[in-house]
Amino acid sequence: MRQLPQIKSKGTLAERTYDILKNAIVELELKPGELITEEDISEQLGVSRTPIRSALNRLLHEELIEMIPGKGTFVAQLTKKQIDDLLSIRELLESLSIQLAATLRTQEDLEKIEYILYKQEQSFTGQFKSQQDFLTFDSEFHCLIAEISQNKYLEKQLLQILNNCRRYLNATTIDIIMPDVLKEHKELYEQIKNQDVEKAKLYMQKHIDNIRTRMIENLNYDDIK
């Protein structure tokens, strides 16, 4: 099992353990299919079994790990079916999200979106290029639209799906698709700015369809099922 960082930041031990494990899984530091044990986690993070079990239960609920009776706990595999399942649900959620956001957005909301788009563009055109930063701003863009929608249930469900999608994006040759993703984000912003609800929905559906195609065409992970 790959070395994990010691817990130092604030929050309960269960929350910090969860955050560290989730990040390691999403960033593919813990590989799909890799065995993870409470003993290894306890030794590496310096925490007891109780917060570890709480963290693992959350990860199991989010389908980032799987428990196989008689064998152990493993990082969930990457599968083409899950890509389709995730993006089918994501399209429904984000179509609603952007329609609400286009209706409810304020000038302050628009400025927040503009800032994220600026940072995302800088992450692959600026002096300090970073694919991980690009993906972080990608998630922040979609999460902000959900936040503007003022539907907490939608926002919570979308965040879980985005975490799962990030694993697939990390297994994708991301630099090839970054310009097109940013272009589409800017188009989505314009529909929110113009409060064109129907166009916003259609543009989001097209964006999610394009994400599905790009993921499948540009996956560079050998063990996808």
Side-chain angles (χ1 to χ4, degrees):
M1 181 172 164
R2 185 179 294 268
Q3 184 65 39
L4 298 170
Q6 289 282 316
I7 292 179
K8 295 180 180 179
S9 51
K10 295 180 180 179
T12 67
L13 283 176
E15 289 170 344
R16 293 303 305 140
T17 301
Y18 163 78
D19 286 341
I20 288 172
L21 289 173
K22 182 186 74 172
N23 185 69
I25 292 170
V26 167
E27 301 301 331
L28 299 183
E29 293 168 6
L30 291 176
K31 302 298 183 185
E34 182 173 346
L35 175 68
I36 51 179
T37 68
E38 292 181 10
E39 292 83 359
D40 284 343
I41 298 170
S42 178
E43 181 178 347
Q44 291 194 39
L45 300 186
V47 297
S48 67
R49 300 290 184 86
T50 301
I52 293 172
R53 287 169 184 162
S54 175
L56 291 177
N57 282 333
R58 288 181 66 182
L59 294 169
L60 180 65
H61 176 72
E62 294 173 7
E63 299 186 3
L64 290 172
I65 64 172
E66 53 187 354
M67 295 181 180
I68 302 176
K71 293 186 177 181
T73 301
F74 300 85
V75 178
Q77 294 283 1
L78 297 175
T79 70
K80 291 180 180 178
K81 183 179 186 307
Q82 190 181 44
I83 292 177
D84 193 55
D85 290 347
L86 284 169
L87 291 174
S88 293
I89 298 301
R90 182 174 168 183
E91 183 175 324
L92 292 173
L93 289 175
E94 294 219 67
S95 294
L96 174 59
S97 175
I98 199 167
Q99 288 181 88
L100 293 170
T103 302
L104 299 170
R105 97 312 181 258
T106 64
Q107 183 59 39
E108 183 180 359
D109 293 328
L110 295 177
E111 291 170 3
K112 288 179 181 178
I113 298 175
E114 289 169 3
Y115 179 72
I116 289 175
L117 291 176
Y118 167 76
K119 296 295 287 185
Q120 188 172 32
E121 185 164 14
Q122 288 298 303
S123 69
F124 76 95
T125 62
Q127 182 178 358
F128 302 104
K129 298 179 177 63
S130 169
Q131 292 184 12
Q132 292 309 307
D133 285 349
F134 182 89
L135 291 177
T136 295
F137 293 124
D138 182 84
S139 294
E140 288 184 6
F141 174 81
H142 288 277
C143 284
L144 179 55
I145 292 174
E147 181 182 328
I148 295 169
S149 77
Q150 299 180 24
N151 187 318
K152 294 298 182 183
Y153 297 102
L154 187 159
E155 188 177 351
K156 181 179 179 181
Q157 293 301 315
L158 180 59
L159 179 59
Q160 179 179 329
I161 290 173
L162 288 173
N163 283 332
N164 274 281
C165 285
R166 173 103 178 217
R167 286 212 304 155
Y168 288 92
L169 289 170
N170 277 315
T172 300
T173 308
I174 191 68
D175 56 322
I176 295 175
I177 68 175
M178 289 193 292
D180 289 336
V181 171
L182 181 65
K183 179 176 180 291
E184 289 170 16
H185 281 183
K186 289 181 176 180
E187 291 171 346
L188 291 169
Y189 163 74
E190 287 299 322
Q191 305 317 313
I192 294 172
K193 180 180 177 181
N194 296 335
Q195 294 190 300
D196 193 325
V197 175
E198 285 306 311
K199 272 193 178 180
K201 176 185 175 182
L202 291 174
Y203 274 56
M204 181 62 82
Q205 290 171 338
K206 181 180 177 182
H207 179 55
I208 302 301
D209 283 342
N210 288 341
I211 291 173
R212 179 187 285 106
T213 300
R214 291 175 190 132
M215 276 186 182
I216 293 173
E217 290 181 350
N218 296 288
L219 279 171
N220 57 19
Y221 190 76
D222 293 334
D223 295 329
I224 189 164
K225 304 300 181 181

